[in-house]
Amino acid sequence: MAETPNQRDLEDGIQRDFSRSMSYGDYLRLDTLLAAQQPLSDPPQHDELLFIIQHQTSELWLKLMIHELRSARALLRSDDLSPALKRTARIKHILHTLTDQWSVLATLTPSEYAEIRPFLATSSGFQSAQYREVEFLLGNKNPDMVDVFSHDEAARTTLAELLHEPSLYDEFLAHLARQGYAVPLRLLDRDWSQPRTSDSELVDLFASVYAAPAEHWGVYETCEELVDVEDAFQQWRFRHLQVVQRVIGHKVGTGGSSGVDFLRRALSLTFFPELYEVRTRIGE
């Protein structure tokens, strides 16, 4: 019996000529995308490409997360709960992907990073406008962050708008109120630029939901999806902290922050405080 060659022949119907039709590279604009990695190290350092690609891909995932968060927020505003939950589920998986990819950057040793750090100058992930958009959309509002982007008018304008708009959680509470739940009025008409603090009456409301899940299934499911998102976000934050500590120890960050200590303080921030406080009440 003749041996089969170790190859797969192209089928007759497979497109071969793209002189007049759109190719995969055309659709994705790969000529632009793959030309965006421009290392600055001189002499060239092997690991700078890793550092650039790690952060560029993170920005692409952040772009998608913003797209999904804005859509979920709009759907809640129109009381269209089911597709809003679909969006939040996708956000959760994006966060898992972002967390997993820190493992690639963790292969960068302190000695290797020291070779490329001088070429970063004062640039830092702290200056990611898209990351701040995500935090503002989730409810972590900080007016001081807007001024960080005074050099970028488009980013500053976007953040200033989000600062004064309801977050995803704010729209969820407004949705609950329209469904007849006793959401305190002070939570429905407030200064959206201020970060939320826990409200005991809202904890009471969620306690009643968790006491009878079957009677409040849509609300119950949404609460758990939001907790999933925050849990995934915190895992991303923590993994970031671990990798930074592993690579630079307790050095000051390139953007001027205290580095690891600054990142550690972010772990105490919460987007949905009542959804965590209610857990102490369940079963009492």
Side-chain angles (χ1 to χ4, degrees):
M1 180 180 296
E3 293 185 2
T4 302
N6 188 24
Q7 68 179 32
R8 179 178 61 174
D9 294 333
L10 291 182
E11 297 172 349
D12 291 340
I14 289 179
Q15 181 82 17
R16 292 173 171 81
D17 182 4
F18 296 97
S19 58
R20 297 185 178 179
S21 57
M22 183 170 63
S23 70
Y24 173 81
D26 294 335
Y27 177 70
L28 295 177
R29 300 184 66 182
L30 292 182
D31 53 346
T32 300
L33 180 66
L34 298 180
Q37 296 75 48
Q38 300 289 333
L40 298 179
S41 55
D42 184 19
Q45 297 299 319
H46 175 81
D47 297 297
E48 190 178 3
L49 186 63
L50 160 63
F51 193 86
I52 291 172
I53 289 177
Q54 169 85 25
H55 290 83
Q56 286 184 341
T57 53
S58 293
E59 289 295 328
L60 287 172
W61 285 120
L62 287 170
K63 182 174 183 175
L64 180 58
M65 202 182 333
I66 291 165
H67 177 67
E68 302 297 341
L69 280 167
R70 285 183 176 274
S71 178
R73 188 178 62 162
L75 288 164
L76 286 173
R77 191 179 300 133
S78 61
D79 298 321
D80 205 352
L81 188 60
S82 293
L85 289 176
K86 171 70 174 180
R87 305 292 191 268
T88 55
R90 183 173 290 165
I91 291 162
K92 175 173 57 179
H93 288 295
I94 294 169
L95 285 163
H96 290 161
T97 297
L98 282 164
T99 301
D100 287 343
Q101 77 174 38
W102 280 120
S103 296
V104 184
L105 194 64
T107 64
L108 191 66
T109 68
S111 300
E112 291 164 345
Y113 179 66
E115 296 295 328
I116 65 175
R117 181 170 177 154
F119 302 97
L120 304 182
T122 56
S123 65
S124 166
F126 177 80
Q127 299 148 14
S128 168
Q130 290 199 125
Y131 176 80
R132 298 304 162 189
E133 284 186 56
V134 169
E135 286 214 318
F136 279 21
L137 283 162
L138 287 172
N140 182 18
K141 304 288 187 74
N142 183 345
D144 291 340
M145 284 307 310
V146 177
D147 294 333
V148 174
F149 298 93
S150 296
H151 67 287
D152 184 339
E153 186 59 33
R156 191 184 190 287
T157 298
T158 297
L159 288 172
E161 290 172 352
L162 287 175
L163 182 69
H164 296 284
E165 294 175 357
S167 69
L168 179 71
Y169 192 47
D170 292 322
E171 291 293 0
F172 175 50
L173 299 183
H175 165 75
L176 291 183
R178 290 190 295 271
Q179 304 309 305
Y181 288 87
V183 178
L185 290 177
R186 61 183 170 274
L187 302 182
L188 302 174
D189 184 15
R190 65 181 189 86
D191 181 355
W192 306 119
S193 70
Q194 297 304 306
R196 291 199 67 260
T197 55
S198 185
D199 186 281
S200 60
E201 287 186 49
L202 191 56
V203 176
D204 292 340
L205 188 159
F206 286 136
S208 67
V209 168
Y210 276 85
E215 297 174 24
H216 309 278
W217 188 260
V219 177
Y220 174 74
E221 183 181 13
T222 307
C223 290
E224 286 300 287
E225 281 290 343
L226 290 174
V227 170
D228 282 349
V229 167
E230 172 142 354
D231 186 38
F233 199 99
Q234 290 286 39
Q235 289 181 48
W236 178 36
R237 279 174 170 162
F238 183 65
R239 186 66 179 125
H240 182 197
L241 182 155
Q242 286 182 307
V243 173
V244 170
Q245 183 168 275
R246 172 180 177 141
V247 175
I248 71 168
H250 286 268
K251 291 186 181 72
V252 171
T254 50
S257 76
S258 57
V260 167
D261 291 337
F262 181 77
L263 295 174
R264 183 172 286 113
R265 288 197 295 275
L267 296 175
S268 64
L269 302 174
T270 180
F271 301 120
F272 320 124
E274 294 87 0
L275 295 181
Y276 281 88
E277 290 193 24
V278 74
R279 280 154 161 72
T280 306
R281 299 272 297 276
I282 296 169
E284 286 186 342

